[in-house]
Structures are given as structure tokens and as C-alpha cells.
Amino acid sequence: TYVVLKVQNLRSTTIDRRGSEPCWEQDFMFEISADGKGFIIELWKKGLLWDSILGVLWIPLATVEHATDEGPGAWWTLHSEVVKNGSEIQGTKSPTSYEILLDVYFALPF
């Protein structure tokens, strides 16, 4: 499995890991504009011919806290559907049995 993060016009991917409880321990840092609405996290399963999506999560930027250091993170339930208003993502729905542990925060300047 691997994770894809999408924020504004940026995209980043973890390396793929095997097992029923994969761990990436991977940090991502994005420099984004203040008018962003949120970001998408996708969990994918690597396949022989094509990959399949296991779940997706929309996190609104307005809900992200500011911090100076990493925290314990939180478990997030992944969903099977993306809710859109036209082409703009509004959220996700239909929870799956998959969860992901994330530590999400705005880094304060040093």
C-alpha cells in the first residue's frame, strides 16, 4: 500500500509498504497559498496490472492547528466517496473499514 497527498496543485506519494499495518513514518511539507480549501489523502493498494484505491480523506485547512513540533497524531477513518460541488471538493462520505494515523499541522516559522 501507499499514500498519495494532494493539496492545491501539488501531489506527493509515499513509498509502497507491504502488510496489513503498513508504517511510512514519512514527513511532507508543502508551501501553499492561504486561499486553499483543504487537502486529499488517498490510500492505494498496489496491483499487478493497476492499483486500486482503498480509501480517501478530505481535511479542510481551516481545521488544521498550528504547532512548533510533531504531536501524537490522530486516527482518521477513510471514506469511499468524494463529495464535490462542481469541480470543487467539499468532503468525503461512506466510511470504509480503513483508518490512517496522521499528524497534521501548520508549521510555525522559526
Side-chain angles (χ1 to χ4, degrees), residues 4-56:
V4 176
L5 291 92
K6 298 176 184 174
V7 59
Q8 293 176 357
N9 62 345
L10 304 169
R11 173 189 166 115
S12 199
T13 305
T14 65
I15 57 173
D16 54 312
R17 296 274 191 219
R18 296 178 192 263
S20 61
E21 294 183 13
C23 181
W24 295 278
E25 291 289 333
Q26 197 164 338
D27 293 335
F28 293 96
M29 186 176 292
F30 297 99
E31 192 169 316
I32 57 174
S33 63
D35 64 350
K37 304 277 189 238
F39 63 99
I40 282 280
I41 297 171
E42 300 171 342
L43 180 65
W44 289 83
K45 180 180 177 186
K46 200 107 170 125
L48 290 174
L49 298 177
W50 57 81
D51 299 348
S52 56
I53 192 160
L54 298 175
V56 64

